[in-house]
Amino acid sequence: MRMSTSAVIARNVEWSDKACSEPYEAGWADTAIFFVRALKPGSGMAGRAFLEISPDGMHWVREGSSFDLPTGKDEVSFLRISHFGTWVRLACEFAPESSLRVLVTLHLKS
């Protein structure tokens, strides 16, 4: 039987400089999609998000996938992934004095 779930992993959080979402244990899933929605217009330059994976939820490494974060209110960016092991999260980087208030959801399917 196939399973699916969605989880909010960052809600109404202001991301700036270097930030990351909450980690999520997703070892049962075959595929995942991260959605990032801008809750307010971003300030400064657009940020970039990076997929990070972990063997234990404490020690993280960048997987290599990345995407531009949205800049306008209610704009959405996403990243589809597979073969990600057990723990996943999004990390992001912004130029100085740039930020974005976000809602990040993770959608998993087996």
Side-chain angles (χ1 to χ4, degrees), residues 56-68:
D56 54 14
M58 295 183 289
H59 301 91
W60 295 91
V61 62
R62 288 197 174 165
E63 180 268 352
S65 301
S66 66
F67 61 102
D68 291 330

Side-chain angles (χ1 to χ4, degrees), residues 3 7-8 10-11 20 31 37 45 47 51 53 59 63 66 68 71 74 76 81 85 89 98:
M3 296 177 24
V8 176
R11 181 190 315 252
C20 60
T31 62
R37 181 165 59 105
M45 298 180 62
L51 173 64
I53 57 176
H59 301 91
E63 180 268 352
S66 66
D68 291 330
T71 56
D74 289 329
V76 177
I81 58 172
R89 74 176 183 183
S98 298

Side-chain angles (χ1 to χ4, degrees), residues 37-109:
R37 181 165 59 105
L39 297 178
K40 294 180 177 179
S43 67
M45 298 180 62
R48 188 144 185 96
F50 303 87
L51 173 64
E52 290 190 344
I53 57 176
S54 170
D56 54 14
M58 295 183 289
H59 301 91
W60 295 91
V61 62
R62 288 197 174 165
E63 180 268 352
S65 301
S66 66
F67 61 102
D68 291 330
L69 291 168
T71 56
K73 183 179 186 293
D74 289 329
E75 287 184 0
V76 177
S77 295
F78 68 94
L79 174 68
R80 291 186 203 131
I81 58 172
S82 60
H83 308 290
F84 44 77
T86 301
W87 291 92
V88 295
R89 74 176 183 183
L90 283 183
C92 64
E93 293 180 1
F94 287 86
E97 300 184 28
S98 298
S99 65
L100 183 67
R101 184 164 297 271
V102 297
L103 173 69
V104 182
T105 59
L106 175 61
H107 303 258
L108 301 162
K109 289 185 180 179

